[in-house]
């Protein structure tokens, strides 16, 4: 089977399994699995794919046809221009979350201490430290497996972050200038309605925000005041319909300058406030 035939076959298999971006995914699986680029492909598209690579590609296509996320199959993804390792122990970093990082970068300055609550893959704190030198970065997550992935990503991107397994602030002992968080925020009854790639394969504990999706915001807002320096900032990623509730929660708790920021699609995506 030639490279061209392999891509066409992969696309057909994925289409039959109702994969939304079948053509793109078929190409990406070939590109990443065979470690080739477009230039190589167009120069060798009529060449036979080596048997070992063909078997690897067919296996990857089979996994994607089962709706296993592409990022988990290839083991990595891109976020804020950086590479991050991912597996089923962490949520896949999404472009929506870049809005939170971009807002944080407007506030974080050299010499500050920043805590990333519910860090997952570590993409938020690592991206902040990559862009601002001299920041002391800390990150916690309830999942030991997620913390291990985040540690790998900090090493991969050559930034120093102190990671700790912690149920929210359980193991946190210091105070910070900025706390950022992308906590679980999907209401429990909404999770079964999500696409299979999310509801079946991404970690449920990183998705489930309990009955109304606001459980972890309440906990973090309530407890964060003991861990923020005076004038410190609390910054959340939120669901598209949670801006009003989370901003009121923060205002009622005594935070000032509370505001909601929109993402590129025009949806509410970030809430920030100062203590």
């Amino acid at each position: 089977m030639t490279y061209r035939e392999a891509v066409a076959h992969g696309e057909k298999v994925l289409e039959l399994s109702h994969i939304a971006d079948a053509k793109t995914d078929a190409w990406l699986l070939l590109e990443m699995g065979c470690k080739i680029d477009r230039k190589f492909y167009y120069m060798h598209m009529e060449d036979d794919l080596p048997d070992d690579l063909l078997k690897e590609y067919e296996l990857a296509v089979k996994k994607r046809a089962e709706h296993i996320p592409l990022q988990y199959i290839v083991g990595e993804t891109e976020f804020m221009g950086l590479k991050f390792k991912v597996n089923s122990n962490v949520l896949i970093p999404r472009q929506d979350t870049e809005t939170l990082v971009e807002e944080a970068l407007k506030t974080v300055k050299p010499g500050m201490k920043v805590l990333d609550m519910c860090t997952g893959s570590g993409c938020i704190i690592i991206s902040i430290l990559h862009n601002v030198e001299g920041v002391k970065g800390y990150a916690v997550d309830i999942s030991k497996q997620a913390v291990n992935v985040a540690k790998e990503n900090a090493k991969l991107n050559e930034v120093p972050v102190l990671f700790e397994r912690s149920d929210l602030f359980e193991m946190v002992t210091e105070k910070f200038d900025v706390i950022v968080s992308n906590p679980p925020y999907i209401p429990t009854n909404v999770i079964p309605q999500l696409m299979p790639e999310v509801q079946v394969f991404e970690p449920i504990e990183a998705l489930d925000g309990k009955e109304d999706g606001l459980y972890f915001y309440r906990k973090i807002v309530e407890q964060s005041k003991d861990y923020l320096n005076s004038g410190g900032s609390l910054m959340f990623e939120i669901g598209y319909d949670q801006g009003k509730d989370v901003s009121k929660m923060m205002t009622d708790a005594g935070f000032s300058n509370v505001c909601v920021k929109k993402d590129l699609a025009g949806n509410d995506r970030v809430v920030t406030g100062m203590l």
Side-chain angles (χ1 to χ4, degrees), residues 166-218:
S166 178
D167 184 356
L168 299 182
F169 291 95
E170 176 190 20
M171 303 301 292
V172 178
T173 58
E174 304 197 37
K175 287 199 171 188
F176 302 89
D177 301 295
V178 178
I179 296 177
V180 294
S181 183
N182 178 18
Y185 60 69
I186 299 176
T188 303
N189 64 356
V190 173
I191 291 175
Q193 304 170 31
L194 301 175
M195 59 195 300
E197 283 85 345
V198 178
Q199 64 161 302
V200 176
F201 295 103
E202 297 204 58
I204 189 70
E205 66 272 14
L207 296 168
D208 192 348
K210 309 298 183 184
E211 184 176 1
D212 62 358
L214 300 172
Y215 175 86
F216 291 100
Y217 296 113
R218 293 190 188 95

Side-chain angles (χ1 to χ4, degrees), residues 28-33 60 69-77 86:
L28 288 173
L29 289 171
L30 183 74
E31 178 188 34
M32 296 177 180
L70 175 76
Q71 296 88 341
Y72 288 163
I73 297 171
V74 301
E76 67 178 35
T77 193
V86 291

Side-chain angles (χ1 to χ4, degrees), residues 88-161:
S88 58
N89 293 307
V90 297
L91 285 184
I92 298 165
R94 290 167 168 81
Q95 188 177 18
D96 291 342
T97 305
E98 293 188 358
T99 306
L100 175 58
V101 175
E102 289 162 357
E103 286 301 319
L105 291 176
K106 297 174 184 178
T107 298
V108 176
K109 300 292 186 291
M112 284 187 170
K113 289 169 63 176
V114 180
L115 172 66
D116 180 12
M117 178 67 60
C118 308
T119 192
S121 67
C123 64
I124 295 171
I125 189 68
I126 290 168
S127 297
I128 291 172
L129 267 64
H130 178 82
N131 283 280
V132 186
E133 294 184 358
V135 174
K136 295 181 180 179
Y138 300 75
V140 298
D141 198 286
I142 194 170
S143 166
K144 181 179 179 181
Q145 292 82 4
V147 168
N148 288 337
V149 173
K151 287 179 177 178
E152 284 190 63
N153 283 325
K155 184 176 181 180
L156 175 66
N157 288 289
E158 300 180 328
V159 296
V161 182

